[in-house]
Amino acid sequence: MDWRKLLPFVVGAALGVPIGVSALTVANPSHVRLGIGVLLIVFSMWNLFRPPLRPIVWGGAVADGAVGFLNGVLAGITGLAGILVIIWCGLRGWSKDQQRAVFQPTAVAIFAMTALWLGGRGGIGADTAWLFVAGLPVLFAGTWVGLKFYGRIDEPTFRKVVLVLLLISALVFVVSELRAAWLG
């Protein structure tokens, strides 16, 4: 891990998460999920079919911190702890190792911060805690599978895998929101 690269994202997120959690009281979660889902579908599709771009080299730690902040706000509202950081790391042109060394620890820190803020506001009940515990085996299995495949894929394949996973997440968001709106 490169702490100089990681720190701006985590500090930015620490400032953004409380705002995102607070926004839950005024934002319509369905509209937020639908909007984020559509944005991620467009972003993923565009990036899957575009020619290679030059990496973004401007902004440095300030830009990274701003992305961390926005990611913290988004995580506080939606629970998506790493989406904007993943996108930004890819746009920066970092290698898959550099990206992973930033977005995994950042996502874990954001999950913890969001849980603490939600818990402090009384937003985590016994049902939610139970769902977290019930999901741990799947989380560990997914992590294990990811670790097994990670060392076997090259940079272009890694980029495509990340974009396809973003696209799938976005499609699930949009379909579930449209289904809920349709059914009532």
Side-chain angles (χ1 to χ4, degrees):
M1 272 192 288
D2 183 346
W3 287 101
R4 287 176 296 157
K5 282 187 179 177
L6 179 60
L7 196 58
F9 291 103
V10 175
V11 170
L15 299 172
V17 167
I19 294 169
V21 170
S22 296
L24 286 173
T25 59
V26 294
N28 182 326
S30 180
H31 293 159
V32 171
R33 285 189 295 267
L34 190 58
I36 296 299
V38 169
L39 179 69
L40 290 176
I41 288 169
V42 170
F43 176 84
S44 299
M45 295 296 292
W46 179 74
N47 275 287
L48 281 168
F49 298 108
R50 68 161 171 78
L53 299 173
R54 289 186 186 175
I56 294 175
V57 294
W58 52 266
V62 172
D64 295 345
V67 170
F69 173 78
L70 294 173
N71 197 79
V73 172
L74 181 64
I77 295 173
T78 64
L80 295 171
I83 297 295
L84 297 180
V85 173
I86 290 169
I87 291 169
W88 183 247
C89 288
L91 291 173
R92 297 281 259 169
W94 293 347
S95 72
K96 68 179 188 173
D97 292 331
Q98 290 172 311
Q99 290 183 45
R100 185 170 172 227
V102 168
F103 70 69
Q104 278 187 335
T106 301
V108 169
I110 290 172
F111 280 133
M113 287 184 259
T114 304
L116 289 171
W117 275 99
L118 286 171
R121 295 181 66 134
I124 299 178
D127 290 346
T128 303
W130 171 246
L131 287 173
F132 173 77
V133 171
L136 283 176
V138 177
L139 173 69
F140 291 135
T143 301
W144 181 79
V145 169
L147 288 171
K148 291 294 179 190
F149 283 108
Y150 178 78
R152 296 182 178 150
I153 60 174
D154 59 10
E155 298 284 335
T157 304
F158 177 78
R159 181 181 155 277
K160 287 178 185 170
V161 167
V162 168
L163 290 169
V164 167
L165 291 174
L166 279 174
L167 179 60
I168 291 168
S169 297
L171 288 170
V172 168
F173 259 36
V174 169
V175 168
S176 66
E177 287 307 314
L178 292 176
R179 183 173 179 226
W182 183 263
L183 295 177

